[in-house]
Amino acid sequence: MAANEPPQPPYVLLFEEAAPGAVPLLISVDDRGALPLFDSADKAQTFVDSTDFGPGWKPVEVSGAGLVAVLETCRGQVEYVALNPPPAREGGGMHVEMGGLEELIEAFQASREDDLFGLGGFGQN
């Protein structure tokens, strides 16, 4: 992901229940609160299977608008987004790509402003 560009779909988050207003899984990476965001349900499932968060967490694909809504509800709870965090390992020592929550919200808002006709980038040279 280039600076100031949001990740590309699909957007997969982990939820205990797929219902309006449900709170996604939030994690701590090096003592920094983060929302794990995946680009596939398989990666999300592999991650959650490697943890002891419990059996109720399931990957849920959300739309771009749905992701922005979730990001906005996470304001004040976490400051970061963890992109495709790898499966947990004993002893830790893994690299996790992190981005700022506010910066990601701003990148999504800017990408929408650049798409004046709602074409999602189609027809652009």
Side-chain angles (χ1 to χ4, degrees), residues 27-78:
I27 61 173
S28 179
V29 178
D30 294 332
D31 296 324
R32 296 180 291 175
L35 169 72
L37 174 62
F38 301 89
D39 61 12
S40 80
D42 288 341
K43 288 178 185 176
Q45 190 64 55
T46 299
F47 172 79
V48 79
D49 287 347
S50 74
T51 69
D52 59 0
F53 297 137
W57 296 98
K58 302 288 182 228
V60 176
E61 187 172 332
V62 297
S63 67
L67 177 59
V68 171
V70 170
L71 293 172
E72 289 175 345
T73 64
C74 290
R75 280 181 166 143
Q77 297 179 52
V78 295

Side-chain angles (χ1 to χ4, degrees), residues 111-124:
S111 70
R112 279 198 221 139
E113 290 168 6
D114 292 342
D115 185 16
L116 298 177
F117 298 105
L119 301 174
F122 294 107
Q124 294 180 353

